[in-house]
């Protein structure tokens, strides 16, 4: 099922695959990436003022700091990595940013997502337990979760609800 958001880039062009099927960014992914972009730009992040009961002021600052320093990566398996990267340059999210500008690291190539995450861990030094992965394919979830990565299954594509579920795994919502 295709997302309901517009299927155009900034120039109004429709991005398609080889068969002419529109390629779009899921609403939830666009929302999540726009939210992360706001965290990075806004030191007075409104989410930093909300906390779970029993949180101290120092935890609020720590949460705000964590949110501003989130690293975002793509781990995609495809036999057309060049075209996938071009699509990321063409597609936009809700705040007008290109999809490619939203990511700190890009792992787009054929192969097991477990290998993508091993590469991301080597490059970033971020422990697997501090990583969050969203995917619609249950075998990818099983493979990556075996590394200790926190995983959220998105069988109908990325949604706001799944984004909030992911944030809750780090007590960030």
């Amino acid at each position: 099922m295709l997302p309901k958001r517009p299927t155009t880039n900034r120039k109004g062009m429709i991005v398609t695959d080889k068969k002419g099927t529109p390629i779009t960014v899921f609403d939830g992914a666009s929302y999540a990436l726009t939210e992360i972009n706001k965290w990075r730009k806004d030191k007075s992040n409104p989410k930093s003022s909300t906390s779970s009961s029993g949180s101290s002021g120092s935890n609020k600052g720590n949460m705000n700091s964590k949110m501003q320093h989130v690293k975002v990566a793509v781990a995609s398996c495809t036999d057309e990595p060049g075209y996938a990267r071009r699509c990321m340059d063409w597609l936009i999210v809700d705040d007008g940013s290109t999809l490619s500008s939203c990511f700190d690291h890009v792992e787009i190539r054929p192969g097991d997502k477990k290998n993508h995450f091993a590469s991301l861990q080597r490059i970033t030094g971020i422990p697997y337990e501090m990583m969050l992965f969203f995917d619609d394919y249950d075998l990818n979830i099983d493979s990556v979760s075996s590394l200790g990565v926190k995983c959220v299954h998105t069988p109908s594509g990325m949604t706001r609800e799944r984004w909030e579920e992911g944030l809750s795994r780090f007590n960030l919502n």
Side-chain angles (χ1 to χ4, degrees):
M1 180 170 133
L2 289 174
K4 295 176 189 168
R5 70 188 319 276
T7 58
T8 60
N9 65 15
R10 287 185 199 184
K11 295 179 183 176
M13 306 286 290
I14 296 174
V15 180
T16 66
D17 65 11
K18 289 179 184 178
K19 295 179 183 176
T21 304
I23 298 170
T24 60
V25 179
F26 281 101
D27 289 336
S30 183
Y31 175 82
L33 292 168
T34 296
E35 189 168 31
I36 291 168
N37 288 342
K38 287 178 189 174
W39 294 346
R40 290 174 171 179
K41 292 176 186 170
D42 184 10
K43 292 188 184 221
S44 60
N45 181 351
K47 281 205 176 256
S48 68
S49 63
T50 60
S51 63
S52 59
S53 61
S55 297
S56 68
S58 63
N59 283 343
K60 287 180 188 178
N62 187 27
M63 186 180 347
N64 190 29
S65 175
K66 282 183 191 176
M67 295 164 92
Q68 289 175 356
H69 295 95
V70 165
K71 299 293 181 199
V72 184
V74 170
S76 179
C77 300
T78 180
D79 57 356
E80 295 285 342
Y83 187 67
R85 287 175 190 270
R86 282 194 300 278
C87 288
M88 288 177 62
D89 289 337
W90 297 330
L91 294 168
I92 58 170
V93 297
D94 292 340
D95 69 0
S97 300
T98 62
L99 194 56
S100 59
S101 72
C102 296
F103 296 97
D104 301 295
H105 304 282
V106 178
E107 287 286 325
I108 300 179
R109 56 186 156 80
D112 187 338
K113 296 234 179 149
K114 195 180 217 181
N115 296 331
H116 289 76
F117 273 82
S119 176
L120 288 169
Q121 199 286 319
R122 275 191 312 278
I123 292 166
T124 66
I126 298 170
Y128 290 124
E129 298 77 22
M130 296 302 298
M131 294 181 181
L132 178 59
F133 175 55
F134 298 88
D135 201 283
D136 63 340
Y137 189 46
D138 56 352
L139 292 178
N140 288 335
I141 294 291
D142 292 343
S143 175
V144 173
S145 67
S146 71
L147 296 170
V149 174
K150 292 174 174 70
C151 296
V152 178
H153 188 221
T154 60
S156 300
M158 184 66 169
T159 63
R160 286 185 185 195
E161 293 79 18
R162 294 293 191 228
W163 169 243
E164 293 295 331
E165 179 184 336
L167 290 180
S168 71
R169 303 224 176 150
F170 288 96
N171 297 315
L172 293 175
N173 60 348

